[in-house]
Amino acid sequence: MRRAKSMARRANLMEKFVSSESQERYNSETCNRSFCGEKGFHFKEADDLGMPRFVCSVVESRSWRDFAKHPQPAVIPVVREFYANFPNDAAEWVYVRGSRVSFDSRTINSFFQLQDEDDGFEEYVNALEDHEWAEMLLRVCVPGTQWEKSSQGAWTVNRASLLPAAKVWYHFLKTRLLPSTHGKTVSKDRLAMVDAIISGMPINVGRVISEQIRVCANRKKGSLLFPSLISALCFEHNVPITDEEERLKLGGVISQAAIARIIQEKGEEQGHATGPSGSGQQQGPLPSGHFGQIEQRLSLIEVQQALFIQQQQEMWNYQRKRDIALQKNLRRNSRQFFSFPQFPTDILGSQFDEAQ
């Protein structure tokens, strides 16, 4: 009996892990790592998706409706097994419970119904010079924002200094494209990605995500990335998954109210923009130093107007349902009462007849 149980347990382990090394990686590393759950927008069935213009325009122009929407919950055991069975640095597929799950750029783009095309984004970022980095700050940050150098030598900006649209798209990409656990600062590559998203530069979503999955798999610590996407790809590749397996509940959906909270974060007014190489090159202020503040206010007003319209529609719907319910109750209750007597016939009765 014990031998039969041992063999069944061994067979179960063989289904989950492709090798003893994978099982050891799972036990010592993967099972102890947390998750970086994806976040997405709460779209509505409307022409503007129920989102501000700076969100809707990007989503529609890039065909990101499937990619940018809030994802489904992840299957925790499957995601851990995916990373535990990761074969090598250049892998484009992983065996999960006997099924080969591809995560190359073509597969991911196809899942999100996107084109798999070269974007040249890495080459563009690597070729940027100091004055171009300074110009980028002027496009996506409030006037006066400057690069800050960390103790490790990394150049960053304060997240609160981003313009409204940049704040929202950074909030999105830090779990969906270039995941990051840094809440207060934005790195150079992520700021460049925000600028690319807003300006319309081509971005190969599948390539970026595929590379980030490899980076995550080669780490021994840190959060496991893209759990919802990996779970969905496993479903697509017929990985056996039961309903009883633990799911990762995803919070933080990016709604109208969430957008309003994100863009109201206040940044500090800085001096002049300094190049990320630390050369001391400075960029003067814009001809009108109020452009950034004006854009902040306009974007906030846009979101507030959308929220007001949404709340107004919800109030109208509530009032309509309330009025219908009151009318039904009034008609139903009125049948329980006798009609009022008429004067003089009903009240005087026979006396009135005799008087006649």
Side-chain angles (χ1 to χ4, degrees), residues 84-356:
N85 289 329
F86 210 85
N88 54 66
D89 297 350
E92 292 187 338
W93 51 266
V94 177
Y95 273 111
V96 181
R97 300 181 180 179
S99 298
R100 177 167 163 164
V101 179
S102 299
F103 65 94
D104 59 287
S105 64
R106 184 181 299 275
T107 299
I108 294 175
N109 283 324
S110 176
F111 176 78
F112 290 124
Q113 301 186 44
L114 300 173
Q115 296 294 324
D116 188 45
E117 55 186 1
D118 294 333
D119 54 8
F121 178 76
E122 286 188 1
E123 293 78 6
Y124 160 75
V125 172
N126 293 331
L128 286 174
E129 298 182 359
D130 288 348
H131 72 278
E132 293 173 306
W133 286 108
E135 292 171 358
M136 185 183 299
L137 289 184
L138 299 178
R139 289 195 297 270
V140 299
C141 299
V142 297
T145 301
Q146 65 181 6
W147 290 101
E148 300 175 357
K149 192 173 184 180
S150 69
S151 57
Q152 291 79 24
W155 289 95
T156 64
V157 296
N158 192 318
R159 183 171 66 93
S161 298
L162 298 177
L163 290 172
K167 284 182 180 178
V168 174
W169 282 112
Y170 174 72
H171 187 79
F172 170 80
L173 76 82
K174 72 177 192 150
T175 64
R176 299 299 294 272
L177 271 174
L178 294 175
S180 173
T181 57
H182 295 286
K184 295 183 179 180
T185 59
V186 183
S187 62
K188 285 174 55 180
D189 56 341
R190 289 176 177 83
L191 191 72
M193 180 64 76
V194 169
D195 183 48
I197 290 174
I198 297 174
S199 63
M201 182 181 300
I203 298 174
N204 190 320
V205 170
R207 178 192 61 79
V208 175
I209 294 178
S210 181
E211 290 178 357
Q212 290 298 307
I213 290 176
R214 293 190 194 92
V215 171
C216 176
N218 290 319
R219 293 174 181 160
K220 295 184 177 181
K221 297 181 180 180
S223 300
L224 298 176
L225 307 180
F226 308 105
S228 292
L229 173 60
I230 290 173
S231 298
L233 292 177
C234 288
F235 275 114
E236 291 278 320
H237 290 80
N238 300 316
V239 173
I241 298 174
T242 64
D243 295 337
E244 291 75 22
E245 294 187 85
E246 185 180 3
R247 261 61 173 179
L248 177 67
K249 296 181 180 180
L250 300 176
V253 60
I254 308 176
S255 61
Q256 282 276 13
I259 290 175
R261 290 194 300 269
I262 293 168
I263 67 176
Q264 287 185 73
E265 295 176 352
K266 296 180 180 180
E268 299 179 358
E269 290 295 325
Q270 305 289 346
H272 297 288
T274 305
S277 68
S279 60
Q281 180 181 357
Q282 293 186 339
Q283 178 72 31
L286 288 171
S288 173
H290 298 288
F291 284 172
Q293 289 86 339
I294 292 174
E295 184 174 353
Q296 289 268 19
R297 288 194 290 269
L298 288 176
S299 296
L300 178 57
I301 290 172
E302 180 185 358
V303 174
Q304 290 174 337
Q305 286 177 337
L307 281 172
F308 174 75
I309 293 173
Q310 178 184 351
Q311 292 170 354
Q312 195 173 44
Q313 290 174 341
E314 291 175 353
M315 177 60 70
W316 287 340
N317 291 333
Y318 163 75
Q319 290 176 343
R320 182 174 58 84
K321 294 178 180 178
R322 180 201 62 188
D323 292 344
I324 293 174
L326 288 175
Q327 291 173 5
K328 290 181 178 179
N329 288 332
L330 183 60
R331 285 195 296 266
R332 184 174 60 251
N333 294 332
S334 64
R335 297 169 187 165
Q336 301 175 7
F337 298 98
F338 296 102
S339 60
F340 288 101
Q342 295 183 357
F343 182 86
T345 56
D346 293 338
I347 295 178
L348 298 180
S350 59
Q351 296 178 3
F352 175 75
D353 293 337
E354 292 176 359
Q356 291 290 332

